[in-house]
Amino acid sequence: MQIITSTDVVTKLLAQRLALGLLSMFVVSVVIFVAVNSLPGSFAAAVLGQSATPEAVAAFNQKLGLDQPLVSRYLTWLSATVTGDFGTSFTNRPVSTMVMPRLWNSLKLAISAALIAVPLAITLGAICVRFVNRLPDRILSATTLSTISLPEFFIAYLLILVLAAKLQLLPSLSTIRGSMGFADQAIRMILPVLTLVFVTLAHMMRATRAALLNVMAQPYIEMARLKGEPETRIILRHALPNAIGSIASVVALNLAYLIAGVVVVEAVFVYPGIGDTMVSAVSNRDIPVVQACALIFSAAYILLNLVADIIAIASNPRLMHAR
Amino acid sequence: MSDMNEKKYWAMELSKGRISRREFLGRTLALGAATAMSGMIPSLAFAEEPKKGGFFRIGMSDPSQQDTSDPATWPASFAQSVFSGSMCNNLTEISPDGSIVGDLAESFEPADNAKKWIFKIRQGVTFHNGKSLTVEDIIQSYQYHMTADSTSGARTLLQQVDTITADGPNTIVFNLKAGSADFPFLTADYHLAIMESKDGGGINWEQMVGTGAFVMENFEPGVSAKMKRNPNYHKNNKPYFDEVEFIGIADWTARLNALVTDEVDAIIDVDLRNTSLIERNSGLKLSRVPALRHWTFDMDTSVEPFNDPNVRLALKYAMDRDEIVKKVFLGEAARGNDTPVANIVPFFKDPTPQHGYDIEKAKEYLKKAGLETVTANLSCADTAFPGAMEAAALYKEQAAKAGIVINIVREAEDGYWDNVWLKKPFNASDWYGRPTCDWVFSVGYAADAAWNNTHWKNERFNELLVEARAETDQAKRAEQYAEMQQIVHDDGGVITVAFANWTYAMSSKVSTAEIGGALPCDNLRMAERWWFTS
């Protein structure tokens, strides 16, 4: 009889998921490449603006190799990318110098928002369950549901109106630059971070509440109650560990959103994140940059979901010791 | 209307750019009190002495991470103002009143029926790195756009140049293929900024070094460009600011927020719906500058039904431009008169009669064409120009009364300029305009123009275009251009809906002299022309 250890399960899963992840990144890159290439317009037309005469455009396309067939251009890009070289943007700068500082900016924003939102969401979710269907639960649910129902730009504008325009406590512009000191950058990030906390909080809190309530309906919780355990202890010691798996998957989704989906918040606060890089690259048809962004975004989704699955397995002994 | 009210009315019209300054003076002089009221007109109050100092921050509308300092590109006002307008100089520049003056060229004069242009170069000009400006730098800066494999937007423009030669250490001679009396305007094109030449040919654009009013300190593409004053600048007393920073704020609400919360001192490209809000804020002021930019519906004159000039006239008379200006552009534009020449262009002459809304005339011209009714499919999209779809919808209603059926074809936004413009027989177009008649016509109305969106081939017009180009007798040119503007107006396929304003909002501590409208951002030179009052 073969004995399967818990490490084996995790390793196997990791290998499977990473292989699948690579496959999906490949598919994403093909789809994006074909999609951006079939868009009308070209980098030359975008970068020449109202002086884009046909001959200037043609000269540009030739210089960029855009007169080559689609397949050979894709293969050239792919063979460079697998060696870790994102190539050169059509602006003649290395793609990595355009994408990496922006990715770092986005990560700073995402991590700050997550560090606040995730613990807060789980705590508030637990409080809701502790007082389920009573006043604290009602108030928290109503507030977070209304913040999630409002579009993110509206929350952003409300925050700007109150905190920046009226009370003048914080700057409305989050255009952080390399020339700024750490403190200045941190202050300018407060409003976007706050917006993102509001936007992601409700989803994670509702998921925590639902997952916990699900567990709380189990017979073993009733057993714990009959033993006379205090309610708070039941939630934290008995229910929460069993709900971690499903909470983790919702948290992972929200973290991926924080990295790849905050383009609207970036626009409102003029935050130089990677979403803006992608939008700018698409509208200018700077295909190498679009490709790099797409790969980063899909990698973020794949990796975060993978981590969520591992947490789910690690927190569930039944999955750890699969048959 | 009492005298005072009438004066106020004209002052308001002037400040909104609906009437020209000349017209304003005429109207108020007629009321006998122009001098008494100069204080009422913000843009006329330029008696103030510019002050030095301060850190000027400006919110720009069109940053892009694809921006570079390569003069072959510079598609939008961010790159143009930063690199061409602040970091560099051209041989000439367009002054706020629309005329051409020397910049790095001290003087310039034509020879041989304007087939040859001789530019005397200003002495003692240095680049930001301390190197002196030489004729070689200027020649290389031009050659850069003229090589066979050049990808420059200025390449077509410079095809009229045969050779460029140095004549001694401070004279440059342009030998043109044919006479061009407006050649000095061409040398003011934003691509033709002068940069440092490299040994063995080419220019050092990567270094971000020019002769301009400001020295580049830090450039983050798509985010900001921070610059400091050039202490050795060649223009007397300029620039006034110690430092400037161009900050890219693409979202218009964010841009206005930034101004209101004092994150920037001025913004460009104000949303028209916010102008009254800004005017009500005592800490802010608004500036409207009539632009060359205009919005048109262009008819392909080579296909049915637009190949009949009577049908074209019927369509021109079937548009109520006043209503469109009022409802779509909220009064922040000037109605068009079916020519592409703006009133600040030299040799501008408004053709007569003004094409107004006249159903009877429209019907009359339809009858002349032997038609009771006509159907036109107008290809349009929001990208075509701001408010294009709304303008088309109003036009449809207006034209219906004259028996003209306008079908609005909503085209895809993305790729409009590649798939619709120049291709569909009746389409909406956004023209940035050009600073001379010759340039405007050569780009979009000559029979062989690359952008002849109306596919218009008028023999007399094309004859005049060539004649006027080489004509150095100013009176004769004025006549020729007046006739050409009249021909486009009567016979051309362009329906000019309106001329745009450049709209700037700024803190009341920012001062400006008269603002140029040939190019955005005070002809790209706001950084060196504006100053702080306190």
Side-chain angles (χ1 to χ4, degrees):
Chain A
M1 202 181 99
Q2 196 188 354
I3 295 166
I4 299 168
T5 64
S6 54
T7 13
D8 280 348
V9 178
V10 175
T11 320
K12 198 175 154 206
L13 178 110
L14 261 175
Q16 259 178 6
R17 282 305 178 82
L18 283 176
L20 265 177
L22 282 176
L23 183 68
S24 28
M25 280 166 78
F26 171 73
V27 174
V28 165
S29 78
V30 173
V31 171
I32 296 274
F33 192 79
V34 173
V36 177
N37 272 292
S38 49
L39 284 175
S42 66
F43 177 77
V47 92
L48 292 170
Q50 285 230 350
S51 40
T53 50
E55 57 172 351
V57 171
F60 230 120
N61 286 344
Q62 200 188 357
K63 191 172 132 196
L64 296 174
L66 288 173
D67 50 352
Q68 303 293 312
L70 202 61
V71 178
S72 77
R73 276 160 52 203
Y74 179 75
L75 291 178
T76 318
W77 173 81
L78 187 68
S79 53
T81 307
V82 290
T83 65
D85 174 14
F86 276 137
T88 311
S89 144
F90 287 171
T91 59
N92 219 7
R93 298 191 191 106
V95 170
S96 50
T97 63
M98 293 177 76
V99 171
M100 288 308 161
R102 296 298 191 100
L103 177 64
W104 174 230
N105 281 351
S106 283
L107 284 177
K108 280 195 279 193
L109 198 62
I111 292 169
S112 320
L115 281 180
I116 300 173
V118 175
L120 193 63
I122 295 174
T123 314
L124 292 178
I127 292 176
C128 284
V129 173
R130 174 68 183 82
F131 300 101
V132 67
N133 290 336
R134 283 157 59 190
L135 199 60
D137 180 26
R138 297 262 160 88
I139 293 176
L140 281 171
S141 295
T143 341
T144 48
L145 276 180
S146 43
T147 59
I148 203 176
S149 321
L150 295 173
E152 58 217 79
F153 64 84
F154 186 73
I155 297 178
Y157 286 144
L158 276 183
L159 289 175
I160 290 181
L161 178 69
V162 176
L163 295 175
K166 294 286 176 212
L167 300 178
Q168 303 190 348
L169 293 173
L170 292 166
S172 67
L173 207 59
S174 305
T175 323
I176 58 168
R177 275 93 83 185
S179 54
M180 283 177 176
F182 175 78
D184 202 4
Q185 290 199 7
I187 288 172
R188 284 182 186 272
M189 283 172 59
I190 293 177
L191 279 182
V193 166
L194 215 52
T195 310
L196 291 176
V197 168
F198 275 119
V199 174
T200 51
L201 187 64
H203 191 201
M204 292 191 286
M205 194 200 89
R206 300 289 299 173
T208 309
R209 181 180 179 273
L212 278 176
L213 281 180
N214 209 10
V215 177
M216 295 291 281
Q218 304 266 334
Y220 79 90
I221 297 290
E222 199 167 0
M223 186 64 213
R225 285 211 182 96
L226 290 175
K227 279 200 312 193
E229 294 255 10
E231 192 70 10
T232 314
R233 190 179 152 81
I234 292 175
I235 293 171
L236 295 180
R237 290 296 298 276
H238 297 265
L240 195 58
N242 283 309
I244 281 291
S246 47
I247 295 173
S249 62
V250 172
V251 168
L253 266 183
N254 276 287
L255 291 183
Y257 159 82
L258 282 177
I259 293 172
V262 296
V263 62
V264 175
V265 175
E266 284 178 13
V268 171
F269 291 104
V270 204
Y271 187 83
I274 193 166
D276 174 68
T277 297
M278 175 115 172
V279 170
S280 178
V282 170
S283 59
N284 286 300
R285 310 283 185 267
D286 195 346
I287 297 168
V289 178
V290 178
Q291 295 281 86
C293 292
L295 282 189
I296 288 170
F297 291 162
S298 40
Y301 271 91
I302 291 163
L303 286 178
L304 285 165
N305 276 306
L306 186 63
V307 172
D309 284 342
I310 293 173
I311 292 177
I313 293 172
S315 70
N316 190 335
R318 274 169 304 179
L319 293 177
M320 281 284 248
H321 304 283
R323 279 172 293 155
Chain B
M1 213 167 2
S2 79
D3 258 21
M4 206 53 202
N5 278 340
E6 188 166 350
K7 271 178 253 158
K8 268 190 192 148
Y9 171 80
W10 288 119
M12 203 177 78
E13 294 288 290
L14 171 69
S15 72
K16 290 195 171 181
R18 284 181 200 146
I19 59 169
S20 71
R21 196 158 276 119
R22 187 175 302 159
E23 196 177 347
F24 168 78
L25 288 173
R27 303 273 188 188
T28 47
L29 272 173
L31 293 164
T35 42
M37 43 175 310
S38 53
M40 291 168 60
I41 316 141
S43 54
L44 272 187
F46 49 97
E48 180 198 352
E49 190 67 22
K51 285 198 181 72
K52 284 214 171 195
F55 176 20
F56 180 59
R57 303 153 304 167
I58 168 121
M60 303 291 289
S61 60
D62 47 16
S64 161
Q65 231 197 327
Q66 272 65 33
D67 284 340
T68 67
S69 54
D70 181 357
T73 59
W74 299 347
S77 65
F78 187 98
Q80 290 165 10
S81 313
V82 169
F83 297 115
S84 189
S86 305
M87 190 180 87
C88 294
N89 296 100
N90 287 37
L91 285 180
T92 55
E93 65 176 315
I94 301 172
S95 64
D97 65 8
S99 64
I100 193 80
V101 293
D103 189 346
L104 289 182
E106 217 165 33
S107 65
F108 44 88
E109 55 181 334
D112 192 11
N113 286 330
K115 257 190 97 173
K116 193 186 243 189
W117 277 91
I118 299 140
F119 286 75
K120 285 257 177 292
I121 307 306
R122 193 178 297 279
Q123 290 306 288
V125 176
T126 53
F127 285 101
H128 299 154
N129 57 9
K131 216 194 122 228
S132 294
L133 172 76
T134 64
V135 284
E136 183 60 16
D137 297 318
I138 296 168
I139 291 174
Q140 286 303 334
S141 295
Y142 275 81
Q143 296 288 5
Y144 177 70
H145 303 276
M146 294 168 68
T147 53
D149 61 344
S150 161
T151 57
S152 168
R155 183 181 169 191
T156 317
L157 208 60
L158 291 172
Q159 267 164 0
Q160 55 177 294
V161 177
D162 193 20
T163 55
I164 307 172
T165 49
D167 179 10
N170 60 351
T171 307
I172 287 198
V173 181
F174 289 85
N175 293 298
L176 309 184
K177 289 174 183 158
S180 173
D182 281 336
F183 184 74
F185 276 94
L186 187 146
T187 59
D189 182 80
Y190 60 80
H191 296 98
L192 303 177
I194 305 303
M195 293 190 173
E196 201 190 338
S197 60
K198 274 198 283 209
D199 292 333
I203 48 169
N204 245 333
W205 59 262
E206 296 92 340
Q207 306 289 317
M208 297 199 277
V209 161
T211 56
F214 289 93
V215 182
M216 184 66 75
E217 269 191 304
N218 187 34
F219 171 53
E220 284 181 47
V223 180
S224 103
K226 183 148 185 289
M227 311 172 89
K228 62 171 193 279
R229 175 213 299 270
N230 173 6
N232 306 318
Y233 197 46
H234 64 268
K235 286 182 196 168
N236 184 27
N237 206 26
K238 280 180 181 170
Y240 308 113
F241 299 121
D242 292 332
E243 289 176 289
V244 293
E245 182 168 17
F246 294 84
I247 303 169
I249 311 178
D251 181 67
W252 58 262
T253 315
R255 208 153 60 237
L256 186 56
N257 274 335
L259 179 69
V260 172
T261 55
D262 198 29
E263 289 284 327
V264 294
D265 304 299
I267 57 173
I268 71 165
D269 222 348
V270 176
D271 188 292
L272 299 184
R273 287 166 295 185
N274 291 331
T275 50
S276 56
L277 282 172
I278 294 167
E279 281 173 327
R280 259 183 279 150
N281 187 328
S282 59
L284 303 178
K285 62 185 177 181
L286 199 67
S287 168
R288 301 172 172 91
V289 182
L292 304 180
R293 183 181 179 186
H294 53 284
W295 301 308
T296 62
F297 292 146
D298 291 342
M299 303 176 276
D300 180 346
T301 56
S302 65
V303 299
E304 296 258 359
F306 311 116
N307 53 0
D308 186 330
N310 289 311
V311 171
R312 305 204 283 266
L313 277 168
L315 276 140
K316 289 173 184 173
Y317 276 112
M319 175 183 282
D320 187 348
R321 292 155 229 255
D322 291 323
E323 191 190 15
I324 293 177
V325 165
K326 196 172 135 204
K327 292 187 177 159
V328 179
F329 307 124
L330 306 174
E332 306 279 353
R335 72 170 172 195
N337 191 21
D338 300 335
T339 90
V341 182
N343 61 4
I344 47 173
V345 173
F347 303 116
F348 163 79
K349 186 162 190 299
D350 206 14
T352 51
Q354 161 74 39
H355 282 159
Y357 188 39
D358 192 332
I359 297 168
E360 288 315 308
K361 274 224 172 100
K363 281 183 177 162
E364 199 183 302
Y365 281 110
L366 269 193
K367 205 170 271 170
K368 268 196 199 165
L371 296 168
E372 272 299 304
T373 172
V374 68
T375 304
N377 297 324
L378 175 57
S379 300
C380 198
D382 286 320
T383 346
F385 58 79
M389 288 306 291
E390 291 82 357
L394 277 180
Y395 183 35
K396 179 192 166 93
E397 294 302 315
Q398 294 158 357
K401 291 188 184 131
I404 297 169
V405 183
I406 308 268
N407 292 324
I408 303 174
V409 185
R410 191 182 190 116
E411 303 282 356
E413 303 291 332
D414 214 358
Y416 183 86
W417 304 107
D418 292 281
N419 301 331
V420 180
W421 191 62
L422 298 178
K423 297 203 171 73
K424 295 288 166 79
F426 192 21
N427 64 61
S429 179
D430 184 348
W431 299 88
Y432 285 10
R434 296 292 188 275
T436 65
C437 288
D438 180 55
W439 203 338
V440 171
F441 291 144
S442 306
V443 160
Y445 297 87
D448 57 351
W451 293 336
N452 188 353
N453 195 22
T454 55
H455 305 264
W456 187 55
K457 293 181 172 70
N458 183 300
E459 215 175 304
R460 173 75 183 145
F461 179 89
N462 285 297
E463 256 171 46
L464 280 169
L465 183 61
V466 178
E467 278 173 29
R469 189 175 293 152
E471 184 60 63
T472 42
D473 177 351
Q474 297 299 310
K476 190 121 183 267
R477 288 190 93 199
E479 238 168 67
Q480 286 163 326
Y481 283 128
E483 188 183 343
M484 288 170 80
Q485 291 171 62
Q486 188 69 40
I487 296 175
V488 181
H489 171 266
D490 296 343
D491 185 69
V494 55
I495 302 178
T496 311
V497 182
F499 277 88
N501 286 336
W502 304 116
T503 320
Y504 311 100
M506 57 193 97
S507 144
S508 46
K509 61 180 192 269
V510 178
S511 272
T512 70
E514 187 181 6
I515 298 176
L519 295 164
C521 305
D522 201 353
N523 294 351
L524 307 180
R525 302 213 164 262
M526 52 160 62
E528 70 169 49
R529 286 182 184 163
W530 297 9
W531 68 92
F532 283 128
T533 32
S534 51

